[in-house]
Amino acid sequence: EAAVTQSPRSKVAVTGGKVTLSCHQTNNHDYMYWYRQDTGHGLRLIHYSYVADSTEKGDIPDGYKASRPSQENFSLILELASLSQTAVYFCASSDRGSSQNTLYFGAGTRLSVL
Amino acid sequence: TQTVSQSDAHVTVFEGDSVELRCNYSYGGSIYLSWYIQHHGRGLQFLLKYYSGNPVVQGVNGFEAEFSKSDSSFHLRKASVHWSDSAVYFCAVSANNNNRIFFGDGTQLVVKP
């Protein structure tokens, strides 16, 4: 079954530490995205990628890096985690063309930075 | 830049009631409009989308949405809600020439028995 799988599902990190969130998709989709969701708000785009070995900045890229080593995998990296990065992070994938705006989401990673 | 506005943060109805969740957007060009549902603790799931043609689009589980260019709206409706429809609903918009999707802040729907 096609899916988007995120790991870990939850994480507690210390301020200033490095955090890596991983995402794996079996949808054979070209596009992958990282969004963050803060309580009571919608999703904001951090980084996205439309091909392996290439990433693009979204609307709130500061403090985050992304890596797309293969079509299936897309990681979000927080080099120096900060309290303000406490949030739920969602990975998503989509296809090209007319289906490109239909996103398939993972279950999310709840990150708490202390 | 596209923007999406969902004017109601919370909507409470009783099982069997009809419901309309409102979405307004701002963008001058050709766009895709979508609705997603998020159950508690889960990722978002696609419900339906509109790009062109019939302004009323059907989704899963009896949901439908109607596009209105004059009102810049894409409201979601259901004729008879079930308790399992309790969730947060997000409206989303993207331009047809790029892959950036912008989400509203969501409307939490509570269906009481």
Side-chain angles (χ1 to χ4, degrees), chain B residues 93-108:
Chain B
V93 61
S94 63
N96 74 334
N97 60 354
N98 70 58
N99 55 303
R100 302 279 292 271
I101 301 172
F102 296 88
F103 289 85
D105 284 343
T107 296
Q108 177 151 26

Side-chain angles (χ1 to χ4, degrees), chain A:
Chain A
E1 181 179 321
V4 178
T5 306
Q6 294 182 233
S7 62
R9 289 297 313 277
S10 67
K11 183 168 179 68
V12 178
V14 295
T15 303
K18 182 177 181 178
V19 177
T20 299
L21 307 183
S22 299
C23 180
H24 178 81
Q25 57 109 349
T26 58
N27 296 326
N28 198 32
H29 287 164
D30 289 317
Y31 291 94
M32 295 187 75
Y33 308 80
W34 277 107
Y35 286 90
R36 75 175 270 172
Q37 183 179 38
D38 296 281
T39 303
H41 292 283
L43 280 68
R44 291 183 291 170
L45 181 64
I46 307 170
H47 285 287
Y48 65 100
S49 168
Y50 54 85
V51 67
D53 295 321
S54 177
T55 63
E56 305 293 331
K57 293 181 179 179
D59 301 312
I60 53 164
D62 293 344
Y64 302 94
K65 289 172 58 178
S67 173
R68 182 92 182 269
S70 64
Q71 186 193 41
E72 297 81 13
N73 295 294
F74 192 37
S75 297
L76 185 68
I77 302 145
L78 290 66
E79 295 279 5
L80 295 170
S82 67
L83 294 173
S84 64
Q85 292 176 312
T86 293
V88 179
Y89 292 85
F90 288 100
C91 177
S93 73
S94 71
D95 208 346
R96 289 184 177 273
S98 62
S99 300
Q100 70 183 31
N101 75 323
T102 301
L103 298 178
Y104 295 83
F105 283 86
T109 295
R110 183 173 297 276
L111 175 64
S112 297
V113 182
L114 306 178

